[in-house]
Amino acid sequence: MEGKPRGARPKLQRSERVFSETHLTSWEVFVRDSLLTLAWPDLLNVVSGSTASDLISRRGVFSRRYYGSVEQLQQAEGDGQELCRRFRLENGESPGEKDEMFGSPSTPVLENPEYQTRWYFKYFLGKLHQNYVGFDSDKTPFFLSIVLNEDTNQCVPLYRAILFRKTGAQKISLPYAHNKLLTVKHILSNFPYFEKVEKGPKEIFTPDIQKDLLLLEEQEGSVNFKFGVIYMRQGQITDDEILSNEFGSLQFNKFLSLLGEKIQLRGWDKYRGGLDVKGDMTGRHSVYTIYEGHEIMFHVSTLLPYSRDNKQQVERKRHIGNDIVNIVFVDDVDGKGLNVFNPTCIKSQFTHIFAVINLDKNNRYRLSVFSDEAVPLFGPSLPCPPVFEHAEVFRDFLLIKLINGEKATFETPTFAKKRKRTLDLLIKDLYTEHMTDSRMTMLNRRAFSDVLAETPRHSRMKEDSRQIEFVRIGQALKLEAIVRGDAPTSLASAGSAGTVFKRSPWEANCFYPVFPATTIFASDSWSDNRLVTATDEGVYLVEDGNSHRLLFDKTLQVRQVNVVEPHGILLLRAGQSNKESKVYVFRLSQLEIIFEPMSRIDVKDHRLERTRGAHLYSLSRPGGSRLRMAVAIGKKLILFQWKHSAAWTAWCPSSDTDTIEGFNLLWEINLNEIPNLMTILDNGWTPNSPSHSDILVCVGYKNHWDIVNGRSGYAHHLHTVRGDRVNLITALDLYEDQEVQLLLCYNHTCHFQKINEENTKSTEYDFHWNFVPSDIVCVFPYVIGFTSNVMEIRLIVNGNLVHSMTMPNLQLIASKNDIFFSTTAPEFFPGRSDRLDVDCKLLEQKHSPPSPNNSPEARPLRIYKIPLHALNKNNSNDQCTSNEIPTWNNGDTKLTVPEQPRVSRSATSSPIPPSKVKLATVK
């Protein structure tokens, strides 16, 4: 086909195309809307119910430039030569940091916290589980561990599986079903990038395998940390000068007391960080603290042995130079030393991160961070300017930044290669050990497709004895790890009297405690305190903890709901089946005066023409200049546009009173397949964007995505997912540095794809979920995945896990502004006396609906709300300290559902966990 764009598919059949506003050119429409937006921005905010920053953050605008700029620094060698080393500098002065509009875009949170990531220790060790050994398609050995966990607090049984390979440990979770057989083959097929194997793995019964697998998991990194602390005077430029400071200043000592407590090394019985605790060979004292369960030992330059005769201070360099992360305290009240410090003056190939600190004359701490170019991005990003008024807030921010930085360094090529080599040797040795002839009797020879939970063919008494011994040894190993301080079992922190109490950004409040329906099909938020919710009983208008009112009865079976506040309309997709489904349009003002629910017969006049048989529709994102709607009817794709812009409606609301007549048809085309997902892309007015008429739609089919241009009729292939089991979830349109980028989500994987890159294979920023999400929401800096029983929260910039919560019957119901989800989680949590915060005083009165939680058979459906401003708000200088009124004990105390309890230090629980019965009897 002549003139066909490169990388495009054959031209689609365009059955009809009609453009609206024929009296205005596309440029005139753009100018009009832009002028209205500039003239009346406050009107737009009032209409939409969100601030400009909320809308932008909600749309997924982010930039990796917020995490500093890369600079090339010179390093002088002894022979006079200069070597170049590149560092990423975060100091609040780079263009990306200055352009950042939210202050700091993230609340300080630990990334990949061990109590969330060390699955084998937390969920497997000390419990009955199954372990397998086998070869992958490359003839490389692997180990597989599987356990059936049941969160006793929430009654949510699920399978957890860990695949140990030389590239690292992969973790996934799969739902448990009483009537579904689960096989090893099925579990292996769910791991990303794991190809089919010809020969099935063998099960290992020996209890000693637990110690070996625990060793493999510990290769992910230490639970405890050691950081260097260097004192630098003004004017010092070489490491010999800096490390020759025998004593620190009063300001430096004040900073040390903020970091932790000064301890005597001789006889020290806790984490020592490589320091001598017997003969004072590494000094008499050091600084130590505990943060979120991590023991931290600081290698303080002025406390390490000092030699007047050795100008190079070899003993100090031996510890400081071998620390991955170093703190450099610059004793300069004017703050000029922060700009003078050059990280290349510390000659160490091992140190990758320098945190440079200064205390000014107003007792405010200023921070800048140098990270080796190879270190992946890590948070939290620095506020702009990076100045901290409160010392305890600064301590909290600094420790989180240092811990996250060291974890990120382990992903650099230098450390990744070492870890891969170590894991490869360990796994091969363990494979040889467990596959020797002397242990073959302990290996299960069941077929590859046998059910996991099938009871081994041994005598019942012999099998019970084996299981008891297996669990006993696992509990002993767990207790041993706890005693020696290498286990992620605590969230305790040590600090001074000003300890920070911070509220977790994802903490949810109960929006409606007892919802009348049992099944929610769709929902959308209306202003700050309303939900329009489609259920099996009809469509309800739910107000915050106050009341619910039926708008449409169940004769109108609604499957999609959207509230478009800028134009004052409600959109519904309803019908007995997809063939009869249609799109309906109502005025929001009309819903305010409905006292009797409307039926299917009452809404005939609100049906939008040309939408009969619609099985899916999608709207343009909130905050855009125009409202557009893509409707899929089988293989047919239709695009509508509202005839008034949001700016025009805000300026002249009396002119926007339409319903179905407000939508104009732009174009209609026939696709090659039936779409399952659709996302309308807002390209904006950038030099590389298409013209105003080139409205692009990302369409997801069975196993691939295309970009459809209705004006030209071309479909550009975007991305294909290989494999037998493909589950496309969503395509989120993100805007990085004003360029449209899609987050394509499928199975356990999230893939970043730019629409202007043809056939790109880059997976640099891809990340994987532990669970297969059914819904995904992006709120910078977080991306949140929802399954039927787990909420998993990660950072969008690097995919690192920050938190996960288990809740029964979990469902995302609305995310346009605030995030609303439903669950049958109890209102009162076991072991806690406090009640969920409910944002309504009426619930405290005697007229509150009774809670049936006392009955184990009836658990009501509750609706919870995570405020948008809590997720993207900068809390760097807004946190309270313990000399104020504390309301939260630590960062992981939730008003939502508690996590599965961590192991007790006494380890006196029953040797046979409840999962034993499940594993033996599941069919």
Side-chain angles (χ1 to χ4, degrees), residues 635-651:
K635 294 182 180 181
K636 183 188 299 182
L637 179 60
I638 307 175
L639 187 72
F640 295 94
Q641 179 172 281
W642 192 256
K643 64 182 182 181
H644 298 297
S645 68
W648 179 266
T649 302
W651 179 60

Side-chain angles (χ1 to χ4, degrees), residues 455-504:
T455 305
R457 296 179 181 178
H458 301 290
S459 65
R460 187 69 259 168
M461 292 183 61
K462 184 176 180 180
E463 175 61 15
D464 286 346
S465 299
R466 186 198 68 82
Q467 292 179 354
I468 292 174
E469 180 67 8
F470 187 92
V471 174
R472 185 193 67 79
I473 291 180
Q475 289 186 341
L477 290 170
K478 179 173 282 190
L479 179 60
E480 181 184 348
I482 293 172
V483 171
R484 70 171 184 264
D486 292 335
T489 59
S490 173
L491 290 177
S493 295
S496 62
T499 303
V500 174
F501 296 94
K502 58 179 181 178
R503 179 170 182 163
S504 298

Side-chain angles (χ1 to χ4, degrees), residues 132-172:
Y132 295 83
V133 60
F135 275 109
D136 60 17
S137 57
D138 296 328
K139 305 300 180 184
T140 304
F142 67 84
F143 285 86
L144 175 68
S145 297
I146 304 163
V147 68
L148 175 61
N149 284 135
E150 180 173 340
D151 190 329
T152 55
N153 291 330
Q154 308 305 328
C155 301
V156 181
L158 48 84
Y159 286 104
R160 297 181 190 268
I162 306 177
L163 182 64
F164 295 97
R165 307 173 73 182
K166 67 179 182 181
T167 53
Q170 293 178 272
K171 311 173 188 72
I172 62 171

Side-chain angles (χ1 to χ4, degrees), residues 409-670:
T409 304
F410 285 120
E411 302 302 321
T412 60
T414 301
F415 289 95
K417 289 178 181 178
K418 293 180 180 178
R419 183 176 65 251
K420 182 177 180 180
R421 185 166 56 248
T422 301
L423 284 173
D424 189 25
L425 293 174
L426 283 174
I427 291 176
K428 287 180 178 178
D429 289 344
L430 294 179
Y431 178 83
T432 303
E433 178 183 355
H434 289 283
M435 291 297 288
T436 56
D437 293 338
S438 60
R439 296 206 177 198
M440 285 301 292
T441 56
M442 300 299 293
L443 294 176
N444 180 25
R445 295 182 176 277
R446 287 182 287 177
F448 185 47
S449 60
D450 282 347
V451 178
L452 281 175
E454 182 181 344
T455 305
R457 296 179 181 178
H458 301 290
S459 65
R460 187 69 259 168
M461 292 183 61
K462 184 176 180 180
E463 175 61 15
D464 286 346
S465 299
R466 186 198 68 82
Q467 292 179 354
I468 292 174
E469 180 67 8
F470 187 92
V471 174
R472 185 193 67 79
I473 291 180
Q475 289 186 341
L477 290 170
K478 179 173 282 190
L479 179 60
E480 181 184 348
I482 293 172
V483 171
R484 70 171 184 264
D486 292 335
T489 59
S490 173
L491 290 177
S493 295
S496 62
T499 303
V500 174
F501 296 94
K502 58 179 181 178
R503 179 170 182 163
S504 298
W506 45 81
E507 185 173 305
N509 299 323
C510 186
F511 180 81
Y512 205 79
V514 182
F515 192 66
T518 58
T519 304
I520 296 177
F521 296 118
S523 184
D524 198 11
S525 58
W526 181 1
S527 69
D528 293 332
N529 61 347
R530 287 179 171 184
L531 282 177
V532 179
T533 305
T535 71
D536 53 343
E537 299 294 331
V539 179
Y540 288 93
L541 175 62
V542 183
E543 299 196 22
D544 187 357
N546 187 11
S547 65
H548 57 270
R549 177 162 55 93
L550 192 63
L551 300 177
F552 305 94
D553 61 25
K554 59 183 179 181
T555 60
L556 188 68
Q557 298 184 9
V558 177
R559 292 299 180 266
Q560 277 186 267
V561 175
N562 283 97
V563 177
V564 187
E565 293 180 68
H567 299 287
I569 59 175
L570 170 70
L571 300 176
L572 304 176
R573 182 177 65 84
Q576 301 293 333
S577 63
N578 284 340
K579 292 184 179 181
E580 299 180 4
S581 182
K582 308 174 188 67
V583 176
Y584 297 83
V585 186
F586 301 87
R587 299 299 306 180
L588 292 177
S589 57
Q590 181 184 0
L591 303 181
E592 297 277 13
I593 58 175
I594 292 180
F595 299 102
E596 293 293 332
M598 291 189 288
S599 66
R600 180 185 177 188
I601 301 177
D602 300 327
V603 299
K604 289 184 177 180
D605 295 336
H606 294 269
R607 293 180 297 189
L608 182 62
E609 292 184 6
R610 309 178 73 96
T611 63
R612 181 180 178 85
H615 68 276
L616 178 68
Y617 77 79
S618 176
L619 298 182
S620 54
R621 284 294 191 94
S625 60
R626 307 297 302 226
L627 170 64
R628 299 184 178 97
M629 178 173 60
V631 181
I633 306 174
K635 294 182 180 181
K636 183 188 299 182
L637 179 60
I638 307 175
L639 187 72
F640 295 94
Q641 179 172 281
W642 192 256
K643 64 182 182 181
H644 298 297
S645 68
W648 179 266
T649 302
W651 179 60
C652 187
S654 60
S655 65
D656 193 353
T657 58
D658 300 314
T659 54
I660 55 176
E661 63 276 7
F663 278 105
N664 292 326
L665 178 68
L666 290 187
W667 45 255
E668 176 181 322
I669 59 175
N670 292 325

Side-chain angles (χ1 to χ4, degrees), residues 725-740:
R725 300 175 181 269
V726 178
N727 176 30
L728 301 190
I729 302 169
T730 187
L732 299 177
D733 51 330
L734 308 178
Y735 299 84
E736 181 180 5
D737 301 331
Q738 300 180 350
E739 184 178 6
V740 179

Side-chain angles (χ1 to χ4, degrees), residues 693-706:
S693 302
D694 285 350
I695 301 170
L696 306 181
V697 181
C698 178
V699 180
Y701 302 100
K702 183 178 180 181
N703 64 347
H704 67 279
W705 282 275
D706 287 347

